[in-house]
Amino acid sequence: MKNKGCAAAAVVGGVILVIIIAIAGWGVSKYNSLVTKDQAVQKVWGDVETVYQKRANLIPNLERTVKSYAKFEKETLTSVVEARAKATSVNIDPTNMTEADLQKFQAAQGQLSGALGRLMMVVEKYPDLKADQQYINFQREYTAIENSIRMETVNYNAAAQSYNTYRNVFPNNVVANFTNFKEKPYFKADAGAEKAPEAFQDNE
């Protein structure tokens, strides 16, 4: 009887061990999938930051070009330079990004977009500046970068949606909550974001 009891206990113990190993393996698999999707979001976020930085890098050349026209409204140019400084000062940790973080980032970038839009409308009053080759080059690069920004923010939202959908379904959400994988925020479209910048519509 004693031997039978020991054998039964060993079987039960073996079954429990198998179950524990199976659960652990399942948990590791879900964790690895969350890591993969999280890394995909971070990669696309890096692309977003890159295109926004490219736009910021255009401003010094624009500033030098506009400054060569002494009668140009200095206040308009100053607002662009200040908006650029604010936009480039907002840094986000993509591993722990919150909705408030992304809203702050998008608001700063939106202020720069608005300042640039106002500057380009003012340039329309200066035919010589509008025809300046350096300014024309800026227009061309700016248009391409704005298109890239729209594309990369769409790509980011798609990656974030894929991650959030996977993270929030049961039982993945159990693993996600236990291992501190949080939801990713989304870019929200600005009013009129679907339209091309007015300053370039006549040149296209």
Side-chain angles (χ1 to χ4, degrees):
M1 291 290 293
K2 186 175 181 180
N3 290 337
K4 288 183 178 180
C6 290
V11 170
V12 172
V15 170
I16 293 174
L17 181 60
V18 169
I19 292 173
I20 291 174
I21 292 173
I23 292 175
W26 170 84
V28 169
S29 175
K30 294 299 182 182
Y31 176 84
N32 288 340
S33 294
L34 284 165
V35 170
T36 298
K37 289 185 174 292
D38 182 67
Q39 289 292 320
V41 176
Q42 291 185 46
K43 188 271 178 189
V44 180
W45 175 254
D47 295 337
V48 169
E49 287 187 313
T50 296
V51 292
Y52 274 116
Q53 185 59 51
K54 284 182 178 179
R55 183 176 71 170
N57 292 345
L58 291 178
I59 306 303
N61 286 338
L62 173 65
E63 183 180 7
R64 285 191 291 271
T65 300
V66 171
K67 275 185 174 179
S68 66
Y69 290 80
K71 294 182 180 180
F72 191 84
E73 289 92 328
K74 292 182 179 180
E75 183 178 346
T76 305
L77 179 59
T78 299
S79 68
V80 171
V81 175
E82 291 177 348
R84 176 189 184 273
K86 184 174 181 179
T88 55
S89 70
V90 178
N91 297 310
I92 294 180
D93 177 7
T95 64
N96 192 32
M97 188 192 308
T98 66
E99 185 173 351
D101 291 333
L102 188 52
Q103 287 178 351
K104 183 178 180 181
F105 177 87
Q106 194 170 0
Q109 297 296 342
Q111 288 179 8
L112 178 53
S113 296
L116 282 166
R118 290 188 292 274
L119 183 144
M120 290 183 287
M121 290 180 64
V122 171
V123 168
E124 295 294 314
K125 296 186 285 186
Y126 296 84
D128 291 343
L129 175 55
K130 186 179 177 182
D132 186 286
Q133 188 59 49
Q134 292 298 317
Y135 183 75
I136 292 172
N137 291 342
F138 163 79
Q139 283 186 311
R140 187 178 297 113
E141 292 183 66
Y142 178 80
T143 302
I145 289 173
E146 283 294 316
N147 289 334
S148 294
I149 287 174
R150 282 189 283 272
M151 181 182 69
E152 296 301 346
T153 53
V154 167
N155 290 343
Y156 167 83
N157 278 353
Q161 182 181 38
S162 176
Y163 165 88
N164 287 338
T165 300
Y166 183 84
R167 180 218 176 273
N168 291 331
V169 297
F170 181 83
N172 299 350
N173 58 345
V174 176
V175 177
N177 289 331
F178 184 74
T179 52
N180 202 34
F181 279 92
K182 299 177 181 178
E183 284 194 60
K184 304 295 185 183
Y186 297 104
F187 272 97
K188 296 179 181 179
D190 296 323
E194 72 283 355
K195 299 179 182 179
E198 291 184 8
F200 299 114
Q201 290 178 352
D202 293 337
N203 297 329
E204 293 177 349

